[in-house]
Amino acid sequence: SLREYKPFQIAKAIELVREGAIHPSLKRSGFYTVVSEDGDRTYLSHACGCTCPAGVKNRACYHRAAAIALNAA
């Protein structure tokens, strides 16, 4: 659910989608490849977690928020 996310995280998740910086994984259903903000890295994101620095610490990240929103669409 997106209820645990702060407004700025939702805004960044929307930005990811609008900029085309998040793509469904070709190999894993429900997973997404997300380009980092600086464009230098990619992360694997899912409704249950993300490989970004915040995600590996079990924190809510905007990559995960975008994955949740896309899974619900």
Side-chain angles (χ1 to χ4, degrees):
S1 165
L2 292 173
R3 287 185 218 126
E4 69 181 281
Y5 294 90
K6 297 177 179 164
F8 82 90
Q9 291 173 308
I10 299 296
K12 289 189 79 119
I14 291 168
E15 185 180 337
L16 279 177
V17 175
R18 284 188 182 153
E19 291 182 352
I22 181 168
H23 306 279
S25 171
L26 298 176
K27 297 178 182 179
R28 301 172 82 179
S29 179
F31 285 80
Y32 295 86
T33 299
V34 187
V35 179
S36 65
E37 194 168 14
D38 62 11
D40 289 342
R41 293 172 301 283
T42 58
Y43 305 120
L44 188 61
S45 189
H46 183 271
C48 296
C50 185
T51 60
C52 75
V56 297
K57 293 178 182 172
N58 235 9
R59 295 183 187 150
C61 67
Y62 64 94
H63 311 111
R64 202 170 114 207
I68 291 168
L70 288 173
N71 280 335

